Amino acid sequence: MAADSSRSSPVIRAGFFIGILVLSVIVGTVAIGGGVQSAPDVSQVNAPSFNSGEGVATPADESGDLSMSADASGKVVVIDVAHAGDIDREALTPLVSTLTENGATVRYHVGERQSGSALNESLRSADALVVLGAEQRYTESELNGLSAFSDAGGRVLLLNEPSQASPAGLGLFGPIRSDSVTMPMAPLASQYGLSYGNGYLYNMHEYDTNYQNVYATPTGDTELTAGVDRTVFYAAIPVHGGNTALTTTEQTTLSKTRRQDTYGVVARSGNVVTVGDTNVFTQEFLYRADNEQLVGNLLDFLVTGEKSPADAPQTAESGESGPGGSLPGTGIGGSTLPSEPDSTPAPEPNETMTSDE
């Protein structure tokens, strides 16, 4: 009897496994046939992303020349690099070349850490200041000096964006750090009634080759938007306050809130203009759509102010006070007064930049 049991065991086990296999096939067939986990039929997919006939990318034309209409003779434009990170100066070549070809002098303010002048001292001989995404805070003395500078008629152009919006090699700045707006720009803009939104803008419905390349159109007829029909901004941030000159197209989304709307990306408050993108000045985006026209208008804005007194912010010896003559270093928590300038301020050799340097 023991010998018969040992011979029958393999047969029983084989029968058991065959039974399990047959049962599995039956169950699988029923499941697929029931459609509970059935794979989608490709022919039924109707999403725009699968339909080449409904492509949403509308590449902008790249044409035109950067030019300006204003006579910039005798004007001095200072670009602040002392408070910014690693700015790619080569990317600013079109900006610098156009200004100098029209008679302006362009200087890079490198700051006292690089044996240059204090900011307030640089501003005394300047007509306009350009700030590109500052990453170091301005002192109370510098903020007071900037306020006095703009109140006297000096022009200020603020450009900002999330740090991560500038991939290395394409924008003006270095490696990716975060998607937050550079904080030193907040107090600088706020004293002019301007501010920035956090995050970056994108549009999944209408864009220029990449969903982060959003279109913006004028809100009305202003000197900043003369001749501008449509512009392109790369991962711009929204700007608030002042008079909005350009807004993004509908269904643009802010990354931090996921809210679809139209957002201002260029605004003006008196002698100050803020732009929610630094890349608009670079070779990469300068000639997209009407960007070169917008940049040309911004250059005109920089050199058409009439600063009076010409040496604002004034020195402590002037004895003046108030918004137009506030003394650097006299604000709350103000720092040491900058050194007194010469009677005839002259640009320092290490901060002077011409287009062919």
Side-chain angles (χ1 to χ4, degrees):
M1 293 295 292
D4 292 339
S5 298
S6 63
R7 284 195 300 271
S8 62
S9 293
V11 175
I12 294 173
R13 287 198 294 271
F16 176 76
F17 286 125
I18 290 172
I20 292 296
L21 178 61
V22 171
L23 180 61
S24 299
V25 171
I26 292 173
V27 171
T29 302
V30 169
I32 294 173
V36 176
Q37 298 295 330
S38 60
D41 186 348
V42 175
S43 64
Q44 296 178 354
V45 174
N46 196 31
S49 57
F50 288 92
N51 192 336
S52 59
E54 298 181 11
V56 293
T58 52
D61 293 334
E62 289 194 56
S63 60
D65 296 307
L66 177 60
S67 62
M68 53 189 294
S69 57
D71 180 7
S73 300
K75 299 292 185 178
V76 177
V77 178
V78 172
I79 300 175
D80 182 11
V81 296
H83 295 80
D86 297 327
I87 290 180
D88 181 3
R89 299 189 185 189
E90 186 176 351
L92 296 175
T93 297
L95 163 71
V96 175
S97 297
T98 303
L99 283 169
T100 55
E101 288 170 359
N102 284 271
T105 298
V106 180
R107 291 190 234 147
Y108 281 126
H109 170 70
V110 297
E112 295 173 287
R113 291 183 179 180
Q114 297 186 41
S115 303
S117 301
L119 178 61
N120 293 339
E121 188 172 336
S122 292
L123 292 178
R124 288 177 193 131
S125 58
D127 297 285
L129 174 71
V130 179
V131 179
L132 297 146
E135 296 180 347
Q136 296 181 18
R137 290 188 179 278
Y138 289 81
T139 66
E140 198 69 25
S141 170
E142 291 172 332
L143 291 175
N144 288 340
L146 277 165
S147 180
F149 175 75
S150 60
D151 286 346
R155 295 292 174 87
V156 179
L157 176 59
L158 307 176
L159 299 104
N160 199 17
E161 64 182 12
S163 298
Q164 74 168 17
S166 299
L170 291 178
L172 295 172
F173 305 103
I176 295 172
R177 287 174 290 276
S178 73
D179 66 348
S180 298
V181 175
T182 55
M183 294 306 295
M185 296 292 286
L188 181 58
S190 66
Q191 68 178 356
Y192 302 116
L194 301 166
S195 63
Y196 304 103
N198 251 332
Y200 62 90
L201 300 172
Y202 64 89
N203 192 320
M204 300 296 291
H205 302 273
E206 184 182 15
Y207 51 81
D208 172 23
T209 65
N210 185 299
Y211 70 98
Q212 292 182 319
N213 301 351
V214 299
Y215 287 113
T217 56
T219 58
D221 296 328
T222 68
E223 61 184 272
L224 295 178
T225 56
V228 174
D229 181 45
R230 189 172 68 164
T231 55
V232 180
F233 289 78
Y234 180 85
I237 57 175
V239 296
H240 307 290
N243 297 315
T244 302
L246 283 170
T247 60
T248 60
T249 54
E250 295 181 352
Q251 296 183 298
T252 299
T253 303
L254 178 62
S255 63
K256 287 291 186 181
T257 63
R258 307 292 183 184
R259 180 181 178 186
Q260 290 188 0
D261 205 338
T262 58
Y263 294 89
V265 287
V266 177
R268 177 176 181 175
S269 175
N271 288 320
V272 182
V273 169
T274 185
V275 180
D277 182 22
T278 63
N279 291 278
V280 71
F281 273 145
T282 66
Q283 298 272 8
E284 177 76 10
F285 291 95
L286 180 58
Y287 301 105
R288 295 286 184 90
D290 295 326
N291 282 9
E292 79 284 351
Q293 183 64 47
L294 171 65
V295 174
N297 294 343
L298 291 172
L299 299 185
D300 287 336
F301 162 79
L302 287 174
V303 301
T304 50
E306 295 295 335
K307 197 176 75 167
S308 178
D311 60 348
Q314 299 174 13
T315 66
E317 293 179 346
S318 68
E320 297 185 17
S321 61
S326 60
L327 305 180
T330 57
I332 299 174
S335 58
T336 304
L337 286 171
S339 57
E340 297 297 326
D342 295 333
S343 56
T344 305
E348 296 187 0
N350 68 336
E351 69 172 4
T352 300
M353 171 65 75
T354 59
S355 59
D356 58 350
E357 182 176 349

